[in-house]
Amino acid sequence: MSIGMLSTEQLYHKFQECTGVSTDTRRITPDCLFIALKGGNFDGNQFAEQALASGARYALVDDAAVAERDRASGTDRCLLVADGLTALQDLARHHRQTFTFPVIGLTGSNGKTTTKELIAGVLSKKYNLYATAGNLNNHIGVPLTLLSLNEQHELAIIEMGANHQKEIAFLCSIALPTHGLITNIGKAHLEGFGGIEGVRIGKGELYDYLAQNAKTVFINSRDKTLMAMYRERLKSIRSETTFAEAIFYPAANPDEETTTLISESPVVVYKNASGHEITTHLPGRYNFNNMLAALAIGDYFGVSPEEANRAIADYNPTNNRSQQVIKGTNTVLLDAYNANPSSMAAAIQQFAATPAKRKAVILGDMYELGDESEAEHAALGKLIAESNFDLVILAGKDMRFALEYLPKAYYFPDKFSLHNWVMDNPMADTHILIKGSRGMSLESVVPFI
């Protein structure tokens, strides 16, 4: 007799018997639900038996032969569905709908994760909250994040990433955010989005969802692009449904602003509403904007200004994002988690303004730029040249396009050569910026400095 496929409701009852979910047999916890996913080079169905043997209570599979084999063995713990990924997403949506607490959806071209961490730090002063762990912000990560929510939580922050249009709209249909924030619109994933206008449309899908479902939006009032996108949606809504409310930060009226930037280098120092100076661990005006977002959201949800500012001051990144590392007499600004033309330009301009005896940059390729890659890397070379750094080191196949403006730069097509050069040419008393796309993994250079 063939095994029937479970509905989402039936699957949810099984999920409620479990302690959590896992898609990796190396991370099986007792009585979890193992979800078999398929990729280009793997098929999670083939690891279902291993997951059960390692302690999983059930294994969700979309291979009937695996489920039949499991039933024949007498365990009957493989749950058959038509498609594992779709079942994961449907299960997550169903679970999300059981909660009524606020869910903040967060996206943008740059600063998503740092902003998420700052907001989480502020809101955790008052709430038991759950925020996206690491970078679990895609069509798999968002469902896994939602399935980690439980009745003890009072608020959730869901980071949503995208590299093509319609992806944010789809993630919103799963996460169902009640509040939302776009950090900015920049030159990220140009290849997938089809250019900067495609980025604007794709990221703007969060605004679309919030407006169409009468939810709350937080907007940086100084960002002309975001303000224009907000106004466009007010005009385009044909029914009475629109944003429930719009919260602007800084204040829409400059005379009402209470938080002012004092210094952005080497770290942000700002004056709060009480006139006290707050010294942070993050550099740059771009991070100050992220802090303003966290403060605005904290204020909206009733976190006291004292607690909110303390959370901002205490946040110290350890995730390759604006992370300061001391190596001997050198100070390394490790910002190697990701890079695109917008974030790279902001980091270089900020670093150029940082007071230091000697400054060096180690920069790697910016990925996913498609036909724009040569022009964007060349433009980056021009910006670097105008910054007059003492030492410029470039790595990656597309960084060669930056050399037109940088005749004295050291260039390495691969990281092996880069590592050797840095090891053979030790630096001292130098401030060093390291930045590149995730695929470059330039944090690997730090041990050689």
Side-chain angles (χ1 to χ4, degrees):
M1 183 177 69
S2 63
I3 298 176
M5 294 186 183
L6 273 69
S7 67
T8 300
E9 186 70 34
Q10 292 171 319
L11 180 59
Y12 191 66
H13 286 307
K14 296 292 186 181
F15 165 74
Q16 289 179 301
E17 298 177 28
C18 300
T19 56
V21 296
S22 175
T23 60
D24 189 338
T25 53
R26 296 167 298 183
R27 295 179 175 84
I28 296 296
T29 55
D31 284 328
C32 73
L33 169 64
F34 172 72
I35 299 178
L37 299 178
K38 288 180 286 199
N41 300 311
F42 66 91
D43 181 354
N45 290 285
Q46 304 308 312
F47 299 94
E49 293 178 27
Q50 180 183 336
L52 293 172
S54 298
R57 187 178 187 89
Y58 296 109
L60 186 153
V61 301
D62 54 15
D63 185 329
V66 173
E68 294 282 3
R69 191 163 60 243
D70 171 66
R71 171 169 286 188
S73 70
T75 61
D76 201 19
R77 288 194 289 152
C78 280
L79 311 176
L80 182 63
V81 295
D83 180 86
L85 177 57
T86 300
L88 166 64
Q89 294 162 344
D90 290 344
L91 179 66
R93 183 185 297 105
H94 187 93
H95 185 56
R96 160 68 184 94
Q97 290 173 321
T98 66
F99 300 109
T100 59
F101 53 68
V103 173
I104 302 171
L106 173 67
T107 192
S109 296
N110 300 307
K112 289 188 297 296
T113 301
T114 297
T115 304
K116 175 203 68 185
E117 295 293 331
L118 289 168
I119 295 170
V122 169
L123 293 180
S124 65
K125 295 292 185 180
K126 182 175 181 178
Y127 299 95
N128 179 6
L129 65 84
Y130 190 85
T132 299
N135 201 37
L136 289 174
N137 64 10
N138 65 3
H139 62 296
I140 296 173
V142 167
L144 292 176
T145 298
L146 292 168
L147 289 173
S148 296
L149 298 177
N150 61 53
E151 61 276 2
Q152 302 302 316
H153 293 127
E154 300 171 299
L155 202 149
I157 308 169
I158 308 298
E159 180 181 332
M160 296 185 287
N163 56 22
H164 58 266
Q165 293 179 37
K166 303 300 182 184
E167 192 168 4
I168 294 297
F170 178 67
L171 295 179
C172 283
S173 76
I174 299 174
L176 309 176
T178 58
H179 301 72
L181 168 74
I182 300 177
T183 58
N184 48 56
I185 302 297
K187 295 179 177 180
H189 305 294
L190 294 181
E191 185 175 24
F193 278 112
I196 188 66
E197 181 57 27
V199 177
R200 192 176 189 272
I201 294 170
K203 297 297 184 180
E205 290 162 10
L206 176 58
Y207 282 0
D208 292 335
Y209 176 88
L210 297 171
Q212 291 161 6
N213 292 277
K215 305 302 182 183
T216 297
V217 63
F218 298 93
I219 303 174
N220 182 349
S221 62
R222 290 178 181 163
D223 190 310
K224 294 180 180 179
T225 300
L226 295 178
M227 288 297 291
M229 291 166 61
Y230 165 69
R231 294 188 186 102
E232 287 163 8
R233 277 147 187 85
L234 292 184
K235 293 178 181 178
S236 66
I237 299 295
R238 296 287 184 259
S239 68
E240 294 181 1
T241 303
T242 185
F243 298 104
E245 55 187 332
I247 310 301
F248 298 98
Y249 66 91
N253 181 353
D255 293 335
E256 298 176 2
E257 291 177 13
T258 56
T259 304
T260 55
L261 179 64
I262 295 175
S263 172
E264 59 180 283
S265 180
V267 294
V268 168
V269 180
Y270 67 88
K271 184 180 292 185
N272 67 6
S274 301
H276 296 120
E277 290 190 6
I278 309 297
T279 301
T280 74
H281 296 280
L282 295 170
R285 185 176 296 271
Y286 51 93
N287 273 318
F288 180 57
N289 286 332
N290 299 336
M291 295 170 196
L292 289 174
L295 291 170
I297 291 174
D299 180 67
Y300 177 87
F301 284 104
V303 178
S304 73
E306 295 77 16
E307 294 276 34
N309 284 293
R310 186 178 301 117
I312 299 294
D314 288 345
Y315 175 65
N316 198 355
T318 56
N319 53 10
N320 297 335
R321 294 177 171 90
S322 299
Q323 180 181 349
Q324 184 169 290
V325 180
I326 304 299
K327 294 286 291 183
T329 61
N330 300 309
T331 299
V332 178
L333 179 60
L334 182 58
D335 197 3
Y337 193 85
N338 219 332
N340 57 58
S342 300
S343 67
M344 190 74 93
I348 288 171
Q349 290 165 345
Q350 157 61 29
F351 190 64
T354 300
K357 179 181 178 181
R358 186 171 187 268
K359 285 185 277 191
V361 293
I362 302 176
L363 306 175
D365 276 356
M366 301 177 290
Y367 287 13
E368 297 184 56
L369 297 180
D371 294 339
E372 301 296 321
S373 189
E374 180 174 349
E376 291 293 352
H377 282 87
L380 181 65
K382 185 176 181 181
L383 177 62
I384 297 168
E386 294 168 352
S387 301
N388 296 313
F389 296 122
D390 297 286
L391 177 63
V392 176
I393 304 170
L394 306 176
K397 66 180 183 65
D398 284 359
M399 271 297 177
R400 72 184 187 275
F401 299 122
L403 294 175
E404 176 184 352
Y405 298 96
L406 299 165
K408 295 182 180 180
Y410 292 89
Y411 169 70
F412 305 95
D414 61 85
K415 285 205 306 178
F416 178 74
S417 303
L418 169 64
H419 291 168
N420 284 335
W421 189 92
V422 172
M423 185 168 53
D424 292 341
N425 295 271
M427 289 176 258
D429 301 312
T430 304
H431 272 59
I432 307 162
L433 169 65
I434 300 178
K435 188 169 179 64
S437 279
R438 183 83 300 264
M440 291 296 295
S441 302
L442 282 184
E443 65 272 14
S444 65
V445 178
V446 175
F448 299 98
I449 294 175

Coordinates of all heavy atoms in Angstrom, one line a residue, residues 316-387:
N316 N 29.1 45.4 20.1 CA 30.5 45.2 19.5 C 30.5 44.1 18.5 O 30.4 42.9 18.9 CB 31.5 45.0 20.7 CG 32.9 45.3 20.2 OD1 33.2 45.6 19.1 ND2 33.8 45.2 21.2
P317 N 30.6 44.3 17.2 CA 30.5 43.3 16.2 C 31.6 42.2 16.3 O 32.8 42.6 16.6 CB 30.5 44.0 14.9 CG 31.3 45.3 15.2 CD 30.9 45.6 16.6
T318 N 31.2 41.0 16.1 CA 32.2 39.9 16.0 C 32.0 39.0 14.8 O 32.3 37.9 14.8 CB 32.2 39.0 17.3 OG1 30.8 38.6 17.4 CG2 32.5 39.8 18.5
N319 N 31.4 39.6 13.8 CA 30.9 38.8 12.6 C 31.5 39.3 11.3 O 30.8 39.1 10.3 CB 29.4 38.8 12.6 CG 28.8 40.3 12.6 OD1 29.6 41.2 12.4 ND2 27.5 40.4 12.7
N320 N 32.7 39.8 11.3 CA 33.4 40.3 10.1 C 32.7 41.5 9.5 O 33.0 41.9 8.4 CB 33.4 39.2 9.0 CG 34.3 38.0 9.4 OD1 35.1 38.1 10.3 ND2 34.0 36.8 8.9
R321 N 31.8 42.2 10.3 CA 31.2 43.4 9.8 C 31.6 44.5 10.7 O 31.3 44.6 11.9 CB 29.7 43.3 9.9 CG 29.0 42.2 9.0 CD 27.5 42.2 9.2 NE 26.9 41.4 8.2 CZ 26.7 40.1 8.3 NH1 27.1 39.4 9.4 NH2 26.0 39.4 7.4
S322 N 32.4 45.5 10.1 CA 32.9 46.6 10.9 C 33.5 46.2 12.2 O 33.4 46.8 13.2 CB 31.7 47.6 11.2 OG 31.2 48.1 10.0
Q323 N 34.3 45.1 12.1 CA 34.9 44.5 13.3 C 36.3 45.0 13.5 O 37.1 44.9 12.5 CB 34.8 43.0 13.2 CG 35.4 42.2 14.4 CD 35.4 40.7 14.2 OE1 34.7 40.2 13.3 NE2 36.1 40.0 15.0
Q324 N 36.7 45.5 14.6 CA 38.0 45.9 14.8 C 38.9 44.8 15.5 O 38.5 44.2 16.4 CB 38.0 47.2 15.8 CG 39.4 47.8 16.0 CD 39.4 49.1 16.7 OE1 38.9 50.1 16.1 NE2 39.8 49.2 17.9
V325 N 40.0 44.6 14.8 CA 40.9 43.5 15.3 C 42.3 44.1 15.5 O 42.8 44.8 14.6 CB 41.0 42.4 14.3 CG1 41.9 41.3 14.8 CG2 39.6 41.8 14.0
I326 N 42.9 43.9 16.6 CA 44.3 44.4 16.9 C 45.3 43.3 16.6 O 45.2 42.2 17.1 CB 44.5 44.9 18.3 CG1 43.4 46.0 18.7 CG2 45.9 45.4 18.6 CD1 43.5 47.2 17.8
K327 N 46.2 43.6 15.7 CA 47.3 42.6 15.3 C 48.6 43.3 15.5 O 49.1 44.1 14.7 CB 47.1 42.2 13.8 CG 45.9 41.4 13.6 CD 46.0 40.0 14.1 CE 47.0 39.2 13.3 NZ 47.1 37.8 13.8
G328 N 49.2 43.1 16.7 CA 50.5 43.7 17.0 C 50.3 45.2 17.1 O 49.4 45.7 17.9
T329 N 51.0 46.0 16.4 CA 50.9 47.4 16.4 C 49.9 47.9 15.3 O 49.7 49.1 15.1 CB 52.2 48.1 16.1 OG1 52.7 47.7 14.8 CG2 53.2 47.8 17.2
N330 N 49.2 47.0 14.6 CA 48.3 47.3 13.6 C 46.9 47.2 14.1 O 46.5 46.4 14.9 CB 48.4 46.3 12.4 CG 49.8 46.4 11.8 OD1 50.3 47.4 11.5 ND2 50.4 45.2 11.6
T331 N 46.0 48.1 13.5 CA 44.6 48.1 13.8 C 43.8 47.7 12.5 O 44.0 48.4 11.5 CB 44.1 49.4 14.3 OG1 44.8 49.7 15.5 CG2 42.6 49.4 14.6
V332 N 43.2 46.6 12.5 CA 42.5 46.1 11.3 C 41.0 46.3 11.5 O 40.3 46.0 12.5 CB 42.7 44.6 11.2 CG1 41.9 44.0 9.9 CG2 44.2 44.3 11.0
L333 N 40.4 47.0 10.5 CA 38.9 47.1 10.4 C 38.5 46.0 9.4 O 38.6 46.1 8.2 CB 38.5 48.5 9.8 CG 37.0 48.7 9.7 CD1 36.3 48.6 11.0 CD2 36.7 50.1 9.1
L334 N 38.0 45.0 10.0 CA 37.6 43.8 9.2 C 36.1 43.9 8.8 O 35.2 43.8 9.7 CB 37.8 42.5 10.0 CG 37.5 41.2 9.4 CD1 38.3 41.0 8.1 CD2 37.7 40.0 10.3
D335 N 35.8 44.2 7.6 CA 34.5 44.4 7.0 C 34.3 43.5 5.8 O 33.9 43.9 4.7 CB 34.3 45.8 6.7 CG 32.8 46.2 6.5 OD1 32.0 45.3 6.8 OD2 32.5 47.3 6.1
A336 N 34.7 42.2 6.1 CA 34.8 41.2 5.0 C 33.6 40.3 4.8 O 33.7 39.3 4.1 CB 36.0 40.4 5.2
Y337 N 32.4 40.7 5.4 CA 31.3 39.8 5.2 C 30.7 39.9 3.8 O 30.3 38.9 3.2 CB 30.2 40.0 6.3 CG 29.2 38.9 6.3 CD1 29.5 37.7 7.0 CD2 28.1 38.9 5.5 CE1 28.6 36.7 6.9 CE2 27.2 37.9 5.4 CZ 27.5 36.7 6.2 OH 26.7 35.7 6.1
N338 N 30.7 41.1 3.3 CA 30.1 41.3 2.0 C 30.6 42.6 1.4 O 31.1 43.5 2.1 CB 28.6 41.2 2.0 CG 28.1 40.4 0.7 OD1 28.8 40.4 -0.3 ND2 27.0 39.8 0.8
A339 N 30.3 42.8 0.1 CA 30.7 44.1 -0.5 C 29.9 44.3 -1.8 O 29.7 43.3 -2.6 CB 32.2 44.1 -0.8
N340 N 29.6 45.5 -2.1 CA 29.0 45.9 -3.4 C 29.4 47.3 -3.6 O 30.0 47.9 -2.7 CB 27.5 45.7 -3.4 CG 26.8 46.5 -2.2 OD1 26.9 47.8 -2.2 ND2 26.1 45.8 -1.4
P341 N 29.2 47.9 -4.8 CA 29.7 49.3 -5.0 C 29.3 50.3 -4.0 O 30.1 51.2 -3.6 CB 29.1 49.6 -6.4 CG 29.0 48.2 -7.1 CD 28.6 47.3 -6.0
S342 N 28.1 50.2 -3.5 CA 27.6 51.2 -2.5 C 28.3 51.0 -1.2 O 28.8 52.0 -0.6 CB 26.1 51.1 -2.3 OG 25.4 51.3 -3.5
S343 N 28.3 49.8 -0.7 CA 29.0 49.6 0.6 C 30.5 49.8 0.6 O 31.1 50.3 1.5 CB 28.6 48.2 1.2 OG 29.2 47.2 0.4
M344 N 31.1 49.4 -0.6 CA 32.5 49.6 -0.7 C 32.9 51.1 -0.7 O 33.9 51.5 -0.1 CB 33.0 48.9 -2.0 CG 34.5 48.8 -2.1 SD 35.3 47.6 -1.0 CE 35.3 46.1 -2.1
A345 N 32.1 51.9 -1.5 CA 32.4 53.3 -1.5 C 32.3 53.9 -0.2 O 33.1 54.8 0.3 CB 31.5 54.0 -2.5
A346 N 31.2 53.6 0.6 CA 31.0 54.1 1.9 C 32.1 53.8 2.9 O 32.6 54.6 3.6 CB 29.7 53.7 2.5
A347 N 32.6 52.5 2.8 CA 33.7 52.1 3.7 C 35.0 52.8 3.3 O 35.7 53.2 4.2 CB 33.8 50.6 3.6
I348 N 35.3 53.0 2.1 CA 36.5 53.6 1.6 C 36.5 55.1 2.0 O 37.5 55.6 2.6 CB 36.7 53.4 0.1 CG1 37.1 52.0 -0.2 CG2 37.8 54.4 -0.4 CD1 37.1 51.6 -1.6
Q349 N 35.4 55.8 1.8 CA 35.3 57.2 2.2 C 35.4 57.4 3.7 O 36.1 58.3 4.1 CB 34.0 57.7 1.6 CG 33.9 57.9 0.1 CD 32.6 58.1 -0.4 OE1 31.6 57.9 0.3 NE2 32.5 58.5 -1.7
Q350 N 34.8 56.5 4.4 CA 34.9 56.5 5.9 C 36.3 56.3 6.3 O 36.9 57.0 7.2 CB 34.0 55.5 6.5 CG 34.3 55.0 7.9 CD 34.3 56.2 8.9 OE1 33.5 57.1 8.7 NE2 35.1 56.1 9.9
F351 N 37.0 55.3 5.7 CA 38.3 54.9 6.1 C 39.3 56.0 5.8 O 40.2 56.3 6.5 CB 38.7 53.6 5.5 CG 40.0 53.0 6.0 CD1 40.1 52.6 7.3 CD2 41.1 52.9 5.2 CE1 41.3 52.1 7.8 CE2 42.3 52.4 5.6 CZ 42.4 52.0 7.0
A352 N 39.1 56.7 4.6 CA 39.9 57.8 4.2 C 39.9 58.9 5.2 O 40.9 59.7 5.4 CB 39.5 58.3 2.8
A353 N 38.7 59.1 5.9 CA 38.5 60.2 6.8 C 39.1 59.8 8.2 O 39.1 60.7 9.1 CB 37.1 60.6 6.9
T354 N 39.4 58.6 8.4 CA 39.9 58.1 9.7 C 41.3 58.6 10.0 O 42.2 58.4 9.1 CB 39.9 56.6 9.8 OG1 38.5 56.1 9.6 CG2 40.4 56.1 11.1
P355 N 41.6 59.3 11.1 CA 42.9 59.8 11.4 C 43.8 58.6 11.7 O 43.5 57.8 12.6 CB 42.7 60.7 12.6 CG 41.4 60.2 13.2 CD 40.6 59.7 12.1
A356 N 44.9 58.5 11.0 CA 45.9 57.4 11.3 C 47.3 57.8 10.7 O 47.3 58.5 9.7 CB 45.4 56.1 10.7
K357 N 48.3 57.3 11.3 CA 49.7 57.6 10.8 C 49.9 57.0 9.4 O 50.5 57.6 8.6 CB 50.7 57.0 11.8 CG 52.1 57.2 11.4 CD 53.0 56.6 12.5 CE 54.5 56.7 12.1 NZ 55.4 56.1 13.1
R358 N 49.4 55.8 9.3 CA 49.6 55.0 8.0 C 48.4 54.2 7.7 O 47.9 53.5 8.6 CB 50.9 54.2 8.1 CG 51.3 53.5 6.7 CD 52.6 52.8 6.9 NE 53.1 52.3 5.6 CZ 52.9 51.1 5.2 NH1 52.2 50.2 5.9 NH2 53.3 50.7 4.0
K359 N 47.9 54.2 6.5 CA 46.7 53.5 6.2 C 46.9 52.6 4.9 O 47.5 53.0 4.0 CB 45.5 54.5 5.9 CG 45.0 55.1 7.2 CD 43.8 55.9 6.9 CE 44.1 57.3 6.5 NZ 43.0 58.3 6.4
A360 N 46.4 51.4 5.1 CA 46.4 50.4 4.0 C 45.0 49.8 3.7 O 44.3 49.7 4.7 CB 47.4 49.3 4.3
V361 N 44.8 49.5 2.5 CA 43.5 48.8 2.2 C 43.8 47.5 1.5 O 44.7 47.4 0.6 CB 42.6 49.6 1.3 CG1 42.1 50.8 2.1 CG2 43.2 50.1 0.0
I362 N 43.1 46.4 1.9 CA 43.1 45.1 1.2 C 41.7 44.8 0.8 O 40.8 44.6 1.6 CB 43.6 44.0 2.2 CG1 45.0 44.4 2.7 CG2 43.7 42.7 1.5 CD1 45.6 43.4 3.8
L363 N 41.5 44.9 -0.5 CA 40.2 44.9 -1.1 C 40.0 43.7 -2.1 O 40.9 43.5 -2.9 CB 39.8 46.2 -1.8 CG 40.0 47.4 -0.9 CD1 39.7 48.7 -1.7 CD2 39.1 47.4 0.3
G364 N 38.9 43.0 -2.0 CA 38.6 41.9 -2.9 C 37.4 42.2 -3.8 O 36.7 43.2 -3.7
D365 N 37.2 41.3 -4.8 CA 36.2 41.4 -5.8 C 34.8 41.7 -5.2 O 34.5 41.2 -4.1 CB 36.1 40.2 -6.6 CG 37.1 40.2 -7.8 OD1 37.8 41.2 -7.9 OD2 37.2 39.1 -8.5
M366 N 34.0 42.4 -5.9 CA 32.6 42.6 -5.6 C 31.8 41.7 -6.6 O 31.9 41.8 -7.8 CB 32.2 44.1 -5.8 CG 32.9 45.1 -5.0 SD 32.5 46.8 -5.3 CE 33.2 47.1 -6.9
Y367 N 31.0 40.8 -6.0 CA 30.4 39.7 -6.8 C 29.0 40.2 -7.3 O 28.4 41.2 -6.9 CB 30.2 38.5 -6.0 CG 31.5 37.7 -5.8 CD1 32.7 38.2 -6.1 CD2 31.4 36.4 -5.3 CE1 33.9 37.5 -5.9 CE2 32.6 35.6 -5.1 CZ 33.8 36.2 -5.4 OH 35.0 35.5 -5.1
E368 N 28.5 39.4 -8.2 CA 27.1 39.5 -8.7 C 26.8 40.9 -9.3 O 25.7 41.4 -9.2 CB 26.1 39.2 -7.6 CG 26.2 37.8 -7.0 CD 25.1 37.6 -6.0 OE1 23.9 37.7 -6.3 OE2 25.5 37.2 -4.9
L369 N 27.7 41.4 -10.1 CA 27.5 42.7 -10.8 C 27.2 42.5 -12.2 O 26.9 43.5 -12.9 CB 28.7 43.6 -10.6 CG 29.0 44.0 -9.1 CD1 30.2 44.9 -9.0 CD2 27.8 44.7 -8.5
G370 N 27.3 41.3 -12.8 CA 27.0 41.1 -14.2 C 27.8 41.9 -15.1 O 29.0 42.1 -15.0
D371 N 27.1 42.5 -16.1 CA 27.7 43.3 -17.1 C 28.3 44.6 -16.5 O 29.1 45.3 -17.2 CB 26.7 43.7 -18.2 CG 26.3 42.4 -19.0 OD1 27.0 41.4 -19.0 OD2 25.2 42.5 -19.6
E372 N 27.9 45.0 -15.3 CA 28.4 46.2 -14.7 C 29.7 46.0 -14.0 O 30.3 47.0 -13.5 CB 27.3 46.8 -13.7 CG 26.0 47.1 -14.3 CD 26.0 48.2 -15.4 OE1 26.8 49.1 -15.2 OE2 25.4 48.0 -16.4
S373 N 30.2 44.8 -13.9 CA 31.3 44.5 -13.0 C 32.6 45.3 -13.4 O 33.3 45.9 -12.6 CB 31.7 43.0 -13.0 OG 32.6 42.7 -12.0
E374 N 32.9 45.3 -14.7 CA 34.1 46.0 -15.2 C 34.0 47.5 -14.8 O 35.0 48.1 -14.2 CB 34.4 45.9 -16.7 CG 35.6 46.6 -17.2 CD 35.9 46.3 -18.6 OE1 35.3 45.4 -19.2 OE2 36.8 47.0 -19.2
A375 N 32.9 48.1 -15.1 CA 32.8 49.6 -14.9 C 32.8 49.9 -13.4 O 33.4 50.9 -13.0 CB 31.5 50.1 -15.5
E376 N 32.1 49.1 -12.6 CA 32.1 49.3 -11.2 C 33.4 49.1 -10.5 O 33.8 49.9 -9.6 CB 31.0 48.4 -10.5 CG 29.6 48.8 -10.9 CD 29.1 50.1 -10.4 OE1 29.8 50.8 -9.6 OE2 28.0 50.6 -10.8
H377 N 34.2 48.1 -10.9 CA 35.5 48.0 -10.3 C 36.4 49.1 -10.8 O 37.3 49.5 -10.0 CB 36.1 46.6 -10.7 CG 35.5 45.5 -9.9 ND1 34.3 44.8 -10.2 CD2 35.9 44.9 -8.7 CE1 34.1 43.9 -9.3 NE2 35.0 43.9 -8.4
A378 N 36.3 49.5 -12.0 CA 37.1 50.7 -12.5 C 36.8 51.9 -11.7 O 37.7 52.7 -11.3 CB 36.9 50.9 -14.0
A379 N 35.5 52.2 -11.4 CA 35.1 53.3 -10.7 C 35.6 53.3 -9.2 O 36.0 54.3 -8.7 CB 33.5 53.4 -10.6
L380 N 35.6 52.0 -8.7 CA 36.2 51.8 -7.4 C 37.7 52.2 -7.4 O 38.2 52.8 -6.4 CB 36.0 50.4 -6.9 CG 36.5 50.1 -5.6 CD1 35.8 50.8 -4.5 CD2 36.4 48.5 -5.3
G381 N 38.4 51.8 -8.4 CA 39.8 52.1 -8.5 C 40.1 53.6 -8.5 O 41.0 54.1 -7.9
K382 N 39.2 54.4 -9.2 CA 39.3 55.8 -9.2 C 39.1 56.4 -7.8 O 39.8 57.3 -7.4 CB 38.3 56.4 -10.2 CG 38.4 57.9 -10.4 CD 37.5 58.4 -11.4 CE 37.6 59.9 -11.6 NZ 36.6 60.4 -12.7
L383 N 38.1 55.9 -7.1 CA 37.8 56.4 -5.7 C 39.0 56.1 -4.8 O 39.4 56.9 -4.0 CB 36.5 55.7 -5.2 CG 36.2 56.1 -3.8 CD1 35.9 57.5 -3.6 CD2 34.9 55.2 -3.3
I384 N 39.6 54.9 -4.9 CA 40.7 54.5 -4.1 C 41.9 55.5 -4.4 O 42.6 55.9 -3.5 CB 41.1 53.1 -4.4 CG1 40.0 52.1 -4.0 CG2 42.4 52.7 -3.6 CD1 40.2 50.7 -4.5
A385 N 42.1 55.8 -5.7 CA 43.2 56.7 -6.1 C 43.0 58.0 -5.4 O 44.0 58.7 -5.0 CB 43.3 56.8 -7.6
E386 N 41.8 58.5 -5.4 CA 41.5 59.8 -4.8 C 41.7 59.9 -3.3 O 41.8 60.9 -2.7 CB 40.1 60.3 -5.2 CG 39.9 60.5 -6.7 CD 38.5 60.6 -7.1 OE1 37.6 60.4 -6.2 OE2 38.2 61.0 -8.3
S387 N 41.7 58.7 -2.7 CA 41.8 58.6 -1.2 C 43.2 58.7 -0.7 O 43.4 58.8 0.5 CB 41.1 57.3 -0.8 OG 39.7 57.3 -1.2

